[in-house]
Amino acid sequence: MYRQGVAPRSRTLRLAADVVTATLGLNLWLSLVLVPGLFLGSFGHSFAHGRAFLLVAPVPLVVLGVGIVRRSPLWLLLAYPAMLLVPVALDPRTVGENAERPLVFALIAASLVGYFLGAAYLTGGRGGGELATERTRRLGASLGAKNPARWRRRRRLYTAFGVLSMVFPIALIYQINFAPDTRAYLAELYPGDRAPTMIALLDLGAVILWFAAFAIGFVGPLRAHRTGDKEIVAELERLRAQSRRPAPSVVFYVGVVCALGLMALLLTMRAQGR
Amino acid sequence: MRRYLFEVLAILLVAGSLVFFWECVTYLAKRDYFAALILAGIGLAVLTVGKELARLALVQRE
């Protein structure tokens, strides 16, 4: 996995980063899946249900392992947390019971935020996540440690985005799980055992809403700042070359064929009286 | 000369796609959903062709 020429100290640092990421991820799995599952009897709730939970519960760990081996932010920051929702969806009581106890909820929230921060830092360049195959320069050093005003503004924005990324989902989850008005309203609408299931569904809705808000309002502006990114520069160059090509592209011919085909279909339908 | 031809064709096709979308809405009001779907497809295809011709007109201008 490691290429030749990478210093032993760098390998040790990367190994330590892997261990820390694995520990943080394991802590999250224990808090969210294993311990609530054992306490609530999710593994033996009924024969079929218990077996399904037993099969699904270790899957997030496999995803975590793959993410660590591949050192991939996509696997660690998206696939692993998403896979944690599968056992939770199978037995919503694991979330419902935890949501009723603020201390446990705060502990799980802290574990999740800690995991995200740790995994993001350790898979990034400064955490030794990328192989040192190219020459890199720290921002401060590259600018002669002058720290110009535009970068100070940019850093303030990044910090604000980071803080808001924690505040937004916590506010949504609080409003669903702890706000007295919401709880009373849900208990009135869904009496008995249906309220925890509804809360779990609303939590899922909040997660989806947050992903959409994050993609549009947070990642969008950050992407616009990635002007020095090699991938984006290459993509822009490809688009520029494509737009300057004097011949029609495949899209043109596909459009013509589709338009004519659909018109023929409509005319045939009308001729047959449909 | 080709540039003007492409520009006129692009305008015609983009305007034509709007006519197809208008017809799509009319068919929706008549609850003829399948025909409306086909018309929306035609509108999108015509719009794509118009966009491509507009790009070619810009290339000719440069």
Side-chain angles (χ1 to χ4, degrees):
Chain A
M1 186 181 144
Y2 299 112
R3 292 182 196 172
Q4 286 184 346
V6 179
R9 185 172 172 275
S10 175
R11 278 188 211 173
T12 313
L13 276 175
R14 286 199 192 115
L15 191 64
D18 286 346
V19 172
V20 173
T21 311
T23 310
L24 288 168
L26 198 62
N27 173 49
L28 188 61
W29 181 77
L30 285 170
S31 320
L32 202 63
V33 178
L34 187 66
V35 175
L38 286 174
F39 271 95
L40 295 167
S42 304
F43 292 98
H45 183 55
S46 68
F47 182 69
H49 184 275
R51 188 179 253 184
F53 196 85
L54 193 67
L55 280 174
V56 164
V59 175
L61 291 181
V62 177
V63 176
L64 177 68
V66 173
I68 289 171
V69 170
R70 291 170 61 98
R71 221 177 273 281
S72 157
L74 194 70
W75 280 77
L76 289 171
L77 297 174
L78 181 66
Y80 176 60
M83 282 311 295
L84 281 171
L85 292 175
V86 176
V88 170
L90 209 59
D91 192 351
R93 293 176 310 153
T94 51
V95 172
E97 294 280 330
N98 285 331
E100 286 172 7
R101 288 175 289 177
L103 189 67
V104 180
F105 179 78
L107 190 70
I108 292 174
S111 303
L112 185 64
V113 171
Y115 169 75
F116 274 131
L117 290 176
Y121 181 79
L122 295 169
T123 53
R126 289 173 72 177
E130 288 176 11
L131 292 172
T133 52
E134 292 177 15
R135 194 164 59 91
T136 56
R137 286 188 302 176
R138 287 278 303 281
L139 180 64
S142 68
L143 297 170
K146 282 179 185 169
N147 203 10
R150 69 175 192 282
W151 272 105
R152 284 203 302 275
R153 280 199 302 274
R154 201 173 271 207
R155 282 203 186 99
R156 276 201 296 274
L157 269 177
Y158 292 166
T159 309
F161 277 143
V163 172
L164 284 174
S165 326
M166 285 183 265
V167 170
F168 264 64
I170 288 172
L172 286 171
I173 298 291
Y174 170 82
Q175 188 60 36
I176 293 168
N177 293 281
F178 296 111
D181 292 349
T182 315
R183 289 190 72 82
Y185 187 59
L186 284 175
E188 186 189 332
L189 279 180
Y190 305 97
D193 292 340
R194 290 163 65 204
T197 311
M198 199 58 209
I199 288 174
L201 271 176
L202 286 172
D203 283 335
L204 188 65
V207 170
I208 293 168
L209 177 69
W210 166 239
F211 275 149
F214 188 71
I216 295 164
F218 288 73
V219 179
L222 288 178
R223 192 176 286 139
H225 278 211
R226 288 169 63 191
T227 48
D229 194 296
K230 278 173 69 179
E231 288 173 16
I232 287 195
V233 170
E235 177 69 10
L236 284 172
E237 194 53 46
R238 190 187 66 78
L239 286 171
R240 201 169 287 128
Q242 195 180 8
S243 68
R244 281 180 184 160
R245 222 171 34 181
S249 65
V250 182
V251 178
F252 175 83
Y253 299 108
V254 171
V256 171
V257 170
C258 283
L260 291 175
L262 287 169
M263 283 178 201
L265 178 65
L266 194 64
L267 286 174
T268 312
M269 279 172 56
R270 288 292 169 262
Q272 290 174 353
R274 283 192 282 166
Chain B
M1 185 62 198
R2 280 176 77 182
R3 172 192 148 194
Y4 294 113
L5 179 68
F6 284 147
E7 279 180 2
V8 170
L9 279 175
I11 290 168
L12 279 176
L13 285 166
V14 172
S17 72
L18 291 178
V19 175
F20 281 110
F21 287 129
W22 177 259
E23 280 297 308
C24 167
V25 175
T26 313
Y27 275 84
L28 276 177
K30 292 178 192 167
R31 296 183 185 278
D32 192 349
Y33 298 118
F34 192 65
L37 191 70
I38 292 175
L39 280 164
I42 295 172
L44 281 174
V46 171
L47 190 65
T48 309
V49 175
K51 180 203 76 178
E52 194 63 19
L53 282 176
R55 183 185 69 79
L56 289 175
L58 277 174
V59 172
Q60 292 289 325
R61 184 185 284 189
E62 284 176 0

